[in-house]
Amino acid sequence: MLATFVRLNRALSSRSTSLAIRNSGCFAMFPKVTEMVLLHPETTRVVDAGAGAAWCFPTEFKTDANIHLIGIDIDAEEMELNPALDERIESSVCEPFPVQPGTIDAITSNFGVEHFPDNEAFLRNCFDSLRPGGRVIALFPSRYASFAILNRLTPRGLKLTLLKHFRPDVADHTGFTAFYDRTDYGNFTKVVKRVGLEVEFYHPSYFHSYFAFFYPLHLGMILSGALRLMFGARSLATYNLFVLRKPGPRDSLRFGQERHSLGTSRPK
């Protein structure tokens, strides 16, 4: 009965969530922004921070773009499952990257930042590893997202039980500790500035589907997200998408403004 209740509520929540809400979020924007950076002619050496078992693009994309992909993760066994990686480095991203300084063109982090215990150390390592003009593309949830707050307050055993019943789609992919170290817009941008990087592009998202198992909660999330979006409350965003740049020579790559759509073709 519980499974049927959850399934019906998720179906209702899905039907009531407009396509505009789905397509305006960071999930839809991340691959577009990342593709712009990775297809740039000057991008050849890429680090995936917290690489895990999969990259955010098919292996064929990396081959076609002539990218040498380096994975850095504390879990060597996870990286062994990742066919896209050309190099696998077992290390914490909060320790200096074991690469030659100033030789990396781009660093990607797809839902990794919330798991790093010291994001100032991570960003400082990014700065040191990047060539002048190199970029970091990072997608991560805010520490003030409702599910992030619940994640920090709920005991691990209870959390896994609840996920198994109400979010079976993600229950098998949990287990990594989330620190949410300064992952809100205000504190994260302060750290970015302190280490010497600059924010080239930012896109917030104010919606999520964690409460889709119970339609009234999901509807409340949509209304709350609409209010936060209306008032431009960046530090209360649910998800953050950043493109950070190490100061250096300007190139032909240009990003639009916040919440504008971006093209994905290789710059001419």
Side-chain angles (χ1 to χ4, degrees):
M1 290 182 63
L2 179 60
T4 301
F5 174 83
V6 170
R7 185 172 63 254
L8 292 174
N9 273 267
R10 291 183 67 85
L12 180 59
S13 297
S14 178
R15 285 198 297 269
S16 65
T17 304
S18 71
L19 188 62
I21 289 177
R22 295 193 187 100
N23 290 342
S24 66
C26 292
F27 291 94
M29 190 66 70
F30 177 78
K32 299 176 184 178
V33 173
T34 306
E35 187 176 344
M36 287 182 67
V37 175
L38 297 184
L39 287 179
H40 194 275
E42 295 180 12
T43 301
T44 58
R45 287 177 59 80
V46 177
V47 163
D48 193 24
W55 193 41
C56 56
F57 286 101
T59 303
E60 294 76 17
F61 176 90
K62 180 202 70 171
T63 304
D64 293 342
N66 193 31
I67 289 171
H68 183 83
L69 185 62
I70 304 167
I72 301 179
D73 200 307
I74 59 173
D75 193 332
E77 292 183 2
E78 278 278 304
M79 284 193 294
E80 285 299 324
L81 302 174
N82 192 334
L85 300 178
D86 297 300
E87 293 183 46
R88 296 170 177 84
I89 299 175
E90 183 181 3
S91 176
S92 167
V93 298
C94 299
E95 298 294 329
F97 295 173
V99 299
Q100 186 176 347
T103 60
I104 301 300
D105 301 307
I107 298 169
T108 60
S109 180
N110 184 17
F111 286 98
V113 171
E114 69 273 23
H115 298 291
F116 304 156
D118 186 350
N119 279 314
E120 184 161 355
F122 164 63
L123 291 174
R124 188 179 299 111
N125 296 334
C126 291
F127 181 92
D128 293 340
S129 303
L130 288 170
R131 63 164 173 80
R135 293 177 169 89
V136 180
I137 312 104
L139 169 60
F140 54 91
S142 168
R143 67 179 286 104
Y144 299 129
S146 53
F147 61 83
I149 295 172
L150 287 173
N151 191 16
R152 296 197 299 277
L153 294 177
T154 307
R156 176 176 170 78
L158 176 59
K159 180 167 52 183
L160 293 178
T161 300
L162 292 174
L163 285 172
K164 180 180 178 180
H165 289 292
F166 297 110
R167 288 298 307 271
D169 53 317
V170 300
D172 293 334
H173 306 287
T174 59
F176 301 105
T177 302
F179 297 95
Y180 301 103
D181 175 49
R182 292 166 285 189
T183 58
D184 58 291
Y185 175 85
N187 283 305
F188 192 78
T189 51
K190 288 178 182 177
V191 174
V192 168
K193 182 177 180 180
R194 194 152 57 234
V195 303
L197 294 168
E198 59 186 23
V199 177
E200 187 172 36
F201 176 79
Y202 171 70
H203 184 85
S205 178
Y206 295 89
F207 305 97
H208 64 81
S209 60
Y210 272 84
F211 300 147
F213 64 87
F214 186 47
Y215 177 69
L217 280 179
H218 181 74
L219 181 59
M221 179 278 301
I222 292 177
L223 295 176
S224 169
L227 286 173
R228 286 178 281 127
L229 174 61
M230 182 186 306
F231 289 104
R234 291 179 173 183
S235 283
L236 295 180
T238 303
Y239 297 105
N240 299 294
L241 171 59
F242 280 93
V243 178
L244 311 175
R245 186 177 182 276
K246 182 174 179 176
R250 290 287 171 180
D251 54 30
S252 59
L253 189 57
R254 294 289 182 269
F255 291 91
Q257 298 300 313
E258 176 185 326
R259 291 190 294 271
H260 286 203
S261 61
L262 301 175
T264 58
S265 61
R266 181 186 293 274
K268 300 187 184 297

